[in-house]
Amino acid sequence: MDISFIINELAEDRENYFNAIAPPIMQTSNFAFNKVDEMRSAFADEYSTFIYSRGRNPTLHILQKKLAALDAAEDCLVFNSGAAAIFASVLANVKSGDHIVSVNKPYGWAQHMFDKILPRFGITTTYIDGRSIENFERAILPHTKLIYLESPNSWDFALQDLAAVAELAKAEGIITICDNSYCTALYQQPVVLGIDLSLQSATKYIGGHSDVVAGVLSGSAEMIHRIFSSEYLNIGSGIQPFNAWLLLRGLRTLPMRLERISRSTITVIDYLKQQPLVEEVIFPFDPEFPQHELAKEQMRGACGLVTFVMRADTAEQIEAFCEKLKHILIAISWGGHESLIVPRCASMHREQFDASNKEHRMLRLYVGLEEPEYIIQDLDQAFRADSNQ
Ligand SMILES: *Cc1c(COP(=O)(O)O)cnc(C)c1O
């Protein structure tokens, strides 16, 4: 399906709302029936119609159709956060006694679920370096039910060969889930590569304006229907109509925002690479990236997240650099209009900082929609201030 068609037309039913160009925000909790028998058949399958907005809602319906089409998946669910999409997708596919294989250092709240919540129900997780398929083969046990992937990882951008993992998992009857937040469906389609469920934090690029928290989960119609009728309705963290509308609005400009950000990121990387205080730049589409070939093969783009390793002896030096930035904000998340930076040392005590550990000197930069020169000038004045100390 054409991306322009999906974004501008698919599932929009304008005659039903006064030919308004922008779809209405159906801010209602419930829907009425004319006949009790209609209500009865609605109860039999809540996914077949509109009953109550914890389940389905017309504004959300338009969004679901578009997001599933962008993922080239049969269907999708939209949650009130990416974390809820992770929780529901995992919970729907494991039971007591099962085993999960996850890539190392998945998104923090996925890891929290694997380490803190699931063990209470006898579900164990083995973490592996997902860069080699042999590690998956070795980690699979007779009771492995789920393989959890995140490609690229949102810090070091480690990739998994999604088609190869999907093939292995299918042969073993194991469900695969991939966190696709880094790329979005525009730059990578895990479902097309054979992954069962693809999820993303829509808070990032889809929302695109740092004003909504949301998550998407895409997969087969059968799987999505099953999750809707159970975990989705039970957890009750489906997206609210106004937030669904904000995501629809974000979608209109998604391709051009990603294009602009991708271009600016290359310009910023060129600058970072010749900056003496930068030891290394990590970016999946950089020819020096160890998995560059795989990145080019399974991803169409790499967008605006880039990690660099700063030459520094102390955490204070890195902190001073961040605090000297005038426009780039010190904040988590990404995908909005504004450039952001997160130093790795913010997630540890200063005493734990070890300059000989490259990871401790990592900073993750998100390149936003500003002019690339504006971002570079900001970085440059902060680096200069640091070298003048
Ligand atoms: C932000 C993020 C999430 C969680 O999404 P929320 O919308 O914040 O709940 C999941 N995975 C990755 C890689 C993320 O960056």
Side-chain angles (χ1 to χ4, degrees), residues 171-189:
E172 306 274 346
I174 298 169
I175 300 286
T176 45
I177 301 177
C178 180
D179 185 331
N180 193 34
S181 300
Y182 182 95
C183 279
T184 82
L186 262 57
Y187 286 172
Q188 179 169 268
Q189 293 174 309

Side-chain angles (χ1 to χ4, degrees), residues 45 47-48 75 220-230:
D45 179 10
Y47 207 40
S48 65
D75 207 352
S220 70
E222 184 274 326
M223 177 89 84
I224 292 299
H225 192 164
R226 178 165 69 77
I227 297 175
F228 172 85
S229 307
S230 183

Side-chain angles (χ1 to χ4, degrees), residues 63-357:
L63 179 65
Q64 280 176 284
K65 288 286 175 201
K66 288 182 192 289
L67 290 174
L70 288 176
D71 261 322
E74 287 174 359
D75 207 352
C76 81
L77 295 170
V78 191
F79 292 82
N80 214 26
S81 70
I86 293 172
F87 200 83
S89 64
V90 172
L91 199 64
N93 286 294
V94 289
K95 61 176 188 335
S96 171
D98 283 348
H99 175 249
I100 297 170
V101 174
S102 166
V103 289
N104 281 335
K105 298 183 200 155
Y107 179 68
W109 289 101
Q111 181 149 1
H112 180 91
M113 178 180 198
F114 298 144
D115 293 348
K116 303 281 192 238
I117 299 178
L118 295 183
R120 302 207 308 254
F121 306 96
I123 298 160
T124 55
T125 300
T126 303
Y127 294 101
I128 58 157
D129 179 342
R131 288 174 295 183
S132 106
I133 190 77
E134 289 77 35
N135 293 342
F136 287 96
E137 287 164 359
R138 252 176 271 152
I140 292 172
L141 299 171
H143 58 302
T144 303
K145 286 290 152 54
L146 192 73
I147 294 181
Y148 188 86
L149 309 167
E150 183 180 324
S151 187
N153 175 282
S154 63
W155 263 93
D156 59 12
F157 313 134
L159 309 186
Q160 300 97 56
D161 183 333
L162 296 181
V165 177
E167 193 184 328
L168 171 70
K170 279 207 167 74
E172 306 274 346
I174 298 169
I175 300 286
T176 45
I177 301 177
C178 180
D179 185 331
N180 193 34
S181 300
Y182 182 95
C183 279
T184 82
L186 262 57
Y187 286 172
Q188 179 169 268
Q189 293 174 309
V191 170
V192 174
L193 298 171
I195 299 297
D196 293 306
L197 289 166
S198 174
L199 63 87
Q200 10 167 4
S201 166
T203 312
K204 313 291 164 55
Y205 290 118
I206 297 175
H209 296 76
S210 302
D211 53 13
V212 59
V213 175
V216 194
L217 178 67
S218 296
S220 70
E222 184 274 326
M223 177 89 84
I224 292 299
H225 192 164
R226 178 165 69 77
I227 297 175
F228 172 85
S229 307
S230 183
E231 289 75 15
Y232 182 86
L233 283 175
N234 219 147
I235 298 171
S237 62
I239 196 166
Q240 293 295 300
F242 178 60
N243 285 354
W245 186 88
L246 283 173
L247 293 185
L248 280 169
R249 177 153 125 153
L251 272 185
R252 309 285 194 204
T253 55
L254 180 63
M256 55 163 293
R257 283 188 286 110
L258 294 189
E259 256 176 59
R260 155 89 174 189
I261 290 165
S262 300
R263 247 183 295 123
S264 302
T265 303
I266 300 300
T267 311
V268 172
I269 287 175
D270 287 346
Y271 162 76
L272 287 173
K273 284 188 146 187
Q274 48 79 32
Q275 165 52 244
L277 284 171
V278 172
E279 182 177 302
E280 187 183 342
V281 176
I282 305 167
F283 185 66
F285 270 26
D286 188 277
E288 286 164 51
F289 184 71
Q291 293 178 290
H292 179 242
E293 220 163 281
L294 177 61
K296 283 282 187 184
E297 206 177 291
Q298 66 183 17
M299 293 158 56
R300 255 171 269 153
C303 294
L305 276 192
V306 52
T307 291
F308 62 92
V309 180
M310 190 170 159
R311 291 186 212 280
D313 302 316
T314 62
E316 285 82 352
Q317 257 175 293
I318 295 175
E319 290 172 32
F321 167 78
C322 293
E323 289 163 15
K324 287 202 177 92
L325 291 166
K326 294 190 167 86
H327 307 298
I328 300 168
L329 305 171
I330 303 171
I332 53 159
S333 196
W334 78 80
H337 51 91
E338 76 294 2
S339 292
L340 304 170
I341 199 155
V342 192
R344 190 86 214 211
C345 66
S347 26
M348 64 186 76
H349 294 294
R350 281 204 190 111
E351 312 80 69
Q352 293 173 305
F353 182 84
D354 172 8
S356 69
N357 185 339

Side-chain angles (χ1 to χ4, degrees), residues 11-28 31 50 53 57-63 66 240-249 252:
E12 313 222 11
D13 193 6
R14 297 194 174 108
E15 290 90 61
N16 255 333
Y17 38 81
F18 311 101
N19 285 320
I21 303 290
I25 303 164
M26 234 20 117
Q27 193 72 30
T28 182
F31 301 83
F50 302 114
S53 287
N57 173 282
T59 308
L60 170 55
H61 175 76
I62 301 172
L63 179 65
K66 288 182 192 289
Q240 293 295 300
F242 178 60
N243 285 354
W245 186 88
L246 283 173
L247 293 185
L248 280 169
R249 177 153 125 153
R252 309 285 194 204

